[in-house]
């Protein structure tokens, strides 16, 4: 049955993407062309990963800024 095969492929993509996420891989996205609810779920999963990746990049940037500021303060204290 083609419908069952399509669901298995879609579920396999969702599974692979969520397993990658659970292992810390934020680069994996659900691939494939899906219809209806499956397209909504894979699209939402991919969008959530994009937003998570963007948020973590912001945290990394802020931490780098704090580190740079702390280095400047430490350098000023040693003068």
């Amino acid at each position: 049955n083609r419908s069952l095969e399509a669901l298995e492929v879609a579920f396999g993509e969702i599974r692979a993407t969520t397993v990658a996420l659970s292992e810390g891989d934020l680069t994996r996205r659900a691939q494939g062309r899906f219809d209806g609810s499956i397209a909504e779920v894979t699209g939402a999963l991919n969008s959530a990963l994009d937003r998570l990746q963007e948020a973590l990049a912001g945290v990394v940037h802020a931490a780098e800024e704090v580190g740079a500021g702390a280095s400047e303060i430490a350098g000023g204290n040693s003068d």
Side-chain angles (χ1 to χ4, degrees):
N1 186 335
R2 292 188 80 97
S3 295
L4 182 58
E5 289 174 14
L7 282 174
E8 287 176 349
V9 169
F11 185 74
E13 279 298 312
I14 293 167
R15 181 195 55 77
T17 303
T18 55
V19 166
L21 174 60
S22 74
E23 295 172 349
D25 181 359
L26 299 179
T27 64
R28 174 71 161 86
R29 299 294 186 270
Q31 304 291 316
R33 301 182 90 166
F34 304 108
D35 296 319
S37 296
I38 298 297
E40 288 180 41
V41 170
T42 56
L45 176 59
N46 289 340
S47 292
L49 285 165
D50 289 341
R51 289 180 186 226
L52 180 59
Q53 199 168 24
E54 290 170 9
L56 288 176
V59 170
V60 168
H61 178 72
E64 289 169 348
E65 292 289 321
V66 168
S71 294
E72 287 180 26
I73 291 169
N77 287 338
S78 65
D79 290 338

